[in-house]
């Protein structure tokens, strides 16, 4: 199952969830706006995953952060929407 780290204060996170729900993609949403455990997990991922290098250089957060079943970290959820529609 996909894990998605984010905050419902983020428009991209809201859109990600809406798109995945519409495509019937199963995921676990880990909101860190009010959960320090989820925030710590996200920061540990963000600190070490190369996919965040450009994001950090731009001064962005990098959410929604998607972690797949194999532990691969992505910032683009459209691949999962496309797979569900195929």
């Amino acid at each position: 199952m996909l894990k998605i780290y984010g905050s419902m204060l983020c428009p991209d996170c809201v859109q990600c969830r809406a798109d995945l729900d519409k495509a019937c993609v199963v995921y676990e949403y880990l909101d860190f706006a009010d959960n320090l455990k989820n925030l710590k997990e996200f920061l540990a991922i963000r600190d070490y995953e190369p996919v965040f290098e450009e994001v950090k250089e731009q001064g962005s957060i990098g959410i929604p952060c998607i972690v797949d079943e194999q532990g691969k970290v992505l910032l683009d959820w459209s691949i999962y929407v496309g797979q569900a529609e195929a």
Side-chain angles (χ1 to χ4, degrees), residues 18-81:
D19 291 348
L20 294 177
D21 288 345
K22 183 177 179 182
C24 299
V25 175
V26 178
Y27 62 90
E28 177 183 10
Y29 188 75
L30 302 161
D31 196 317
F32 55 68
D34 61 355
N35 187 311
L36 288 179
K37 178 183 177 284
N38 293 341
L39 178 59
K40 287 179 183 180
E41 288 177 14
F42 167 71
L43 291 175
I45 294 167
R46 188 174 185 265
D47 285 348
Y48 296 103
E49 286 292 328
V51 71
F52 288 101
E53 291 306 316
E54 184 177 334
V55 170
K56 290 189 279 188
E57 287 175 9
Q58 295 171 353
S60 297
I61 299 171
I63 55 175
C65 167
I66 301 149
V67 182
D68 72 10
E69 295 85 0
Q70 290 78 39
K72 183 175 180 180
V73 178
L74 300 167
L75 301 177
D76 181 6
W77 65 90
S78 65
I79 186 171
Y80 297 106
V81 173

